[in-house]
């Protein structure tokens, strides 16, 4: 893939920021309160906050994708369902662990778990929304694709939690829907070089935060 391939080259003016699973229960924070901490996720908060601020200043869309696990396990992916059924409590709807860190939000906001579990978009600012995703991929059984098209977005920028699982799956889903894709490598926990190279091989622009901010500017 060439750096300026006309079909895959990301376009800043029509970009949307997708923040994946940045919720308190997945933060490997020093307080040790997270139910399912993911290594490196607390450390990327400052980088993601810079991205979110830049998108807000430019009036570009932001979507926070979140997981919500009902305590009875009824909406949980199979690999985690038994643990939830046996008493694990992760990203419980309405619970503190399901919430997004304040540093990544435009104000004092609590998730509307009933709206989200019903498939709705929770508006939290001009052009900024939260959307529940029931599985790894942000596009699986959600209205994300429709929302992006309605927002005029043909480029999606990914940051968030645990590259091997939800971000990577979502990147591939975006690619197969013909979105132009940016992976912000130092704003996603769990990124490894082979995975980044494999993203490049399908036309993804892999950039760090500084490069992404320069591109937006």
């Amino acid at each position: 893939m060439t750096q300026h391939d006309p079909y895959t080259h990301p376009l800043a003016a029509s970009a949307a920021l997708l923040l994946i699973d940045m919720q308190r229960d997945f933060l490997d924070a020093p307080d040790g309160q997270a139910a399912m901490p993911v290594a490196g996720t607390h450390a990327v908060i400052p980088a993601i906050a810079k991205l979110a601020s830049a998108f807000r200043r430019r009036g570009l869309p932001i979507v926070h994708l979140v997981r919500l696990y009902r305590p009875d396990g009824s909406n949980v992916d199979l690999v985690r369902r038994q643990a939830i059924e046996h008493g694990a409590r992760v990203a419980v709807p309405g619970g503190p662990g399901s919430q997004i860190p304040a540093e990544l939000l435009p104000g004092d906001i609590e998730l509307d778990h009933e709206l989200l579990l019903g498939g709705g978009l929770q508006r939290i600012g001009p052009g900024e929304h939260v959307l529940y995703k029931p599985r790894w991929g942000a596009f699986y059984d959600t209205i994300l694709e429709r929302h992006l098209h309605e927002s005029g977005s043909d480029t999606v920028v990914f940051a968030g939690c645990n590259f091997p699982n939800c971000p990577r799956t979502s990147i591939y889903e975006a690619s197969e829907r013909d979105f132009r894709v940016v992976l912000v490598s130092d704003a996603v926990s769990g990124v490894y070089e082979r995975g980044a190279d494999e993203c490049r091989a399908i036309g993804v622009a892999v950039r760090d935060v500084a490069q992404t901010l320069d591109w937006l500017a």
Side-chain angles (χ1 to χ4, degrees), residues 96-108:
S98 70
Q99 303 297 325
I100 297 167
E103 299 96 317
L104 305 183
L105 296 171
D108 184 13

Side-chain angles (χ1 to χ4, degrees), residues 61-73:
I62 301 173
V63 182
H64 303 258
L65 283 306
V66 299
R67 304 301 293 270
L68 296 169
Y69 291 153
R70 297 183 189 275
D72 65 1

Side-chain angles (χ1 to χ4, degrees), residues 113-162:
H113 66 275
E114 292 184 1
L115 172 66
L116 294 170
L117 284 168
L121 279 164
Q122 181 180 352
R123 185 177 183 272
I124 61 173
E128 188 164 356
H129 297 81
V130 182
L131 183 64
Y132 159 71
K133 61 181 182 63
R135 293 294 183 269
W136 311 117
F139 292 85
Y140 176 81
D141 200 23
T142 73
I143 61 171
L144 178 60
E145 182 175 9
R146 186 181 79 195
H147 173 68
L148 291 171
H149 287 313
E150 290 175 350
S151 301
S153 303
D154 62 8
T155 296
V156 287
V157 178
F158 282 94
C161 173
N162 204 18

Side-chain angles (χ1 to χ4, degrees), residues 4 12 36 41 43 45 48-49 61 66 68 92-93 127 131 168 188 191 203 216:
H4 295 290
M36 188 179 287
T41 301
I45 288 177
I48 296 175
V66 299
L68 296 169
V92 176
L131 183 64
R168 179 167 175 147
V188 182
V191 173
L216 284 172

